[in-house]
Amino acid sequence: MIKTVILSFVQSALSVGGITLLHHVLEGRGQNVTELVMSMMSLRGIAGAMLLFGAFAVMSYMLTFVKASVFIPMNTATTFLLTVVVGLLLSTEKPSWHIILGMMLVLSGIAVIAGQRQ
């Protein structure tokens, strides 16, 4: 089960990292096709797309040995945690008691799921 938890964090980190890079590339851009394509062809755009592809590859691998009923809640929880951490590290969010309590609940949920048999 440790392998599942680690891979879930890896998959979530790749996904959150890719989305963060793409957000920075596309934020404030026009919605015309030329501008979108040029943004996506930047170094950050390509890196974001590669990270998202890596997240898809890890998810596909995990689904070969983990039940979807275990993968989906665990992945949702790890993605939430990493999204909050990235927000805090990039100083776009300030930790409130609600966020701290929510993170503690998510961590306890991961512990329960990790203790469940596959």
Side-chain angles (χ1 to χ4, degrees), residues 21-22 24-26 29 35-49:
L21 285 174
L22 289 178
H24 287 291
V25 166
L26 298 174
R29 300 279 184 203
E35 198 166 342
L36 280 173
V37 170
M38 293 306 293
S39 297
M40 291 300 293
M41 291 301 155
S42 69
L43 185 59
R44 280 187 178 180
I46 292 170

Side-chain angles (χ1 to χ4, degrees), residues 2 5 8 21 29 38 41 49 55 69 72-73 76 91 94 100:
I2 297 295
V5 173
S8 185
L21 285 174
R29 300 279 184 203
M38 293 306 293
M41 291 301 155
S69 62
I72 292 169
T76 301
S91 299
K94 303 284 186 235
I100 293 169

Side-chain angles (χ1 to χ4, degrees), residues 4-88:
T4 303
V5 173
I6 291 171
L7 283 173
S8 185
F9 271 102
V10 168
Q11 194 278 335
S12 295
L14 290 170
S15 179
V16 170
I19 291 295
T20 301
L21 285 174
L22 289 178
H23 172 74
H24 287 291
V25 166
L26 298 174
E27 182 179 28
R29 300 279 184 203
Q31 293 184 356
N32 64 51
V33 175
T34 306
E35 198 166 342
L36 280 173
V37 170
M38 293 306 293
S39 297
M40 291 300 293
M41 291 301 155
S42 69
L43 185 59
R44 280 187 178 180
I46 292 170
M50 298 282 288
L51 287 174
L52 286 175
F53 181 76
F56 174 74
V58 172
M59 177 187 67
S60 298
Y61 171 69
M62 286 181 68
L63 288 173
T64 64
F65 65 90
V66 177
K67 292 180 182 179
S69 62
V70 172
F71 171 78
I72 292 169
M74 182 175 293
N75 185 261
T76 301
T78 55
T79 300
F80 168 74
L81 284 174
L82 291 175
T83 301
V84 170
V85 168
V86 166
L88 293 173

